[in-house]
Amino acid sequence: MMKLRLTQYPGAIAQAAQAVNEIDSQIAEIRQRLARLEGNADLIVAFETALKNDNQRKARRYQVLQQDATYEQMLDHLNNLSTQKANALAQLERLRNEFTVAKLEVQLAIAQKLASSETRELVGL
Amino acid sequence: MRIGQFFSLKKGRVGQYLSPRVLVVRTPFRQSAGEKCYLGFKRLTEAQKFAQYLAVMGHTFQLRRGQMLPQNYEICLQGNSGLARQLAYWDRADNRSMGDSHDET
C-alpha cells in the first residue's frame, strides 16, 4: 500500500472513520428490520394458543421466520456487514498507527538535524 | 361460520372470516371508515399476552369481551389486514394439522 504524506493522514483517518460509521448505520438498519420480522413471528406464536410448550413455540417461530425469504438474506447481509466493519476498523487503526509513526519519524529527523548541527558547533565548524 | 366467504353486517359493513379466530370487517363504499380486524381468544390471559406483543410492535388495538367473534375475548385492530392475514394463515395451518377434532378457541 502506498505510503501517505504526513498531511494526508488526517483526511484519510476521517474518511476511514466515516466508512466505519456508514457500515454501523447499515447494521443498525438491518437489525431494526430483523427485529421487526422477529417481532412479527413472536406475535404469530403468541396468537397460536394451541401451541402448548416452549419447544413448540420455538419451532413455530423458526418456521415462521424461515418462510420469509428476506429473513435469511438479511442475516447473511448482517454477517457480511459485521466482517466489513471489522475490516474497516482495522484499516482505521492502521492509519492511526501509521500517522503516529510518521509523526515520530519527523520528530526523529528534526532531533537528528539539531543534534548534528550542535555537534558541528561544538567542534567549531 | 364459513371461512373466506363474505357476509353482510349492519351499517354497510361486510365481514370475512379468514380463520375461525380472525375476522376482517370492511366498509366497501366508505373510504374513511377503513377496515377492522378482530382476533378471538378463549382466555383473557391469552389475549393479554398477545396484546403485550402488539403494544411492543406499536400497534393500536382494543381488547374487549367477544362481540364480533364467538370467542370469549377479542382484540380489535384498526387496519393491519396484512397482519390479520398472516395470523389467519397460521391459524388455518394449525387447524388443518390438528384435523377436524381441533377444539376451536
Side-chain angles (χ1 to χ4, degrees), chain A residues 36-112:
Chain A
R36 185 106 203 132
L37 284 181
E38 284 166 359
N40 221 30
D42 287 334
L43 256 183
I44 290 167
V45 171
F47 187 65
E48 287 311 306
T49 50
L51 304 173
K52 293 298 174 202
N53 55 50
D54 269 356
N55 282 342
Q56 283 184 1
R57 287 187 202 101
K58 275 182 196 162
R60 172 53 54 89
R61 189 180 190 272
Y62 181 74
Q63 213 179 352
V64 172
L65 288 172
Q66 287 304 303
Q67 220 191 32
D68 194 323
T70 58
Y71 184 72
E72 203 68 35
Q73 286 171 4
M74 274 194 258
L75 281 181
D76 286 345
H77 194 192
L78 184 64
N79 279 339
N80 287 339
L81 284 172
S82 301
T83 311
Q84 278 180 38
K85 188 187 167 183
N87 290 339
L89 277 172
Q91 163 77 352
L92 176 63
E93 190 65 14
R94 194 177 62 82
L95 281 170
R96 280 179 178 154
N97 289 337
E98 273 184 12
F99 187 39
T100 307
V101 170
K103 280 191 288 188
L104 288 172
E105 279 174 353
V106 170
Q107 282 172 2
L108 181 66
I110 293 168
Q112 278 172 342

